[in-house]
Amino acid sequence: MVLRKLMESLENILLSMNNTMKEFHSIVLLLEKTLHDGRQLVKGGSVQATPKHLQQRIGIKPCLADCLDGLSHVYEMHQSEYLLKSSIVSALPVLALKPSGSDLGALQQLLVDQPNIPREEVQLIYDIVFAEEIC
């Protein structure tokens, strides 16, 4: 009876983790699409953007290059985080059936240390992109 409840609980936890990973993956895909679309707009606009255009600023607004670089950096951080968490979550069912203290401890630490996306770096990117709104 106790073992069955533990297994049901484990199954619910794994299902919840998989659902969370699906949501996180959709965010990564959205960031990827936004970055791709932004680059396409710069390349395929009615006026071809030169490197000078990409660096041009209007007042305190960021230049296009800063916006694209920031978006690229945020996407790469989220993509890396997703790949790390996805590999951990996919290994959990096997480890749950053959637990070792050190393996479970290491996995727990990786999952607790979430996200591994440096908040300060993301805030710095937002500060550059949304400088006009902050002032």
Side-chain angles (χ1 to χ4, degrees), residues 19 22 24 32 34 42 54 62 66-67 69 78 81 86 88 92 101 105 107 113 124 132:
N19 289 337
K22 285 178 186 173
F24 192 31
E32 181 180 34
T34 304
V42 168
L54 292 175
D66 289 343
C67 293
D69 289 345
H78 281 77
E81 183 73 7
S86 181
I88 292 169
L92 284 177
L107 286 174
D113 287 344
L124 179 62
E132 181 180 38

Side-chain angles (χ1 to χ4, degrees), residues 72-122:
S72 177
H73 194 64
V74 168
Y75 163 70
E76 289 167 4
M77 287 189 287
H78 281 77
Q79 172 73 0
S80 296
E81 183 73 7
Y82 171 75
L83 293 173
L84 171 68
K85 299 296 186 191
S86 181
S87 64
I88 292 169
V89 169
S90 67
L92 284 177
V94 174
L95 290 172
L97 297 175
K98 298 178 184 176
S100 108
S102 62
D103 288 345
L104 291 177
L107 286 174
Q108 179 184 12
Q109 191 60 44
L110 283 171
L111 291 171
V112 168
D113 287 344
Q114 63 171 315
N116 293 316
I117 299 170
R119 178 175 277 165
E120 300 80 24
E121 283 187 54
V122 174

Side-chain angles (χ1 to χ4, degrees), residues 4 20-21 26 47-48 65 70 87 102 106 115 117 125:
R4 188 179 80 204
T20 300
M21 290 306 299
S26 68
V47 176
Q48 290 294 321
S87 64
S102 62
I117 299 170
I125 292 167

Side-chain angles (χ1 to χ4, degrees), residues 27-46:
I27 292 168
V28 171
L29 292 175
L30 181 63
L31 286 169
E32 181 180 34
K33 182 181 181 336
T34 304
L35 178 59
H36 177 266
D37 291 351
R39 287 179 175 158
Q40 287 302 111
L41 285 171
V42 168
K43 285 181 187 176
S46 59

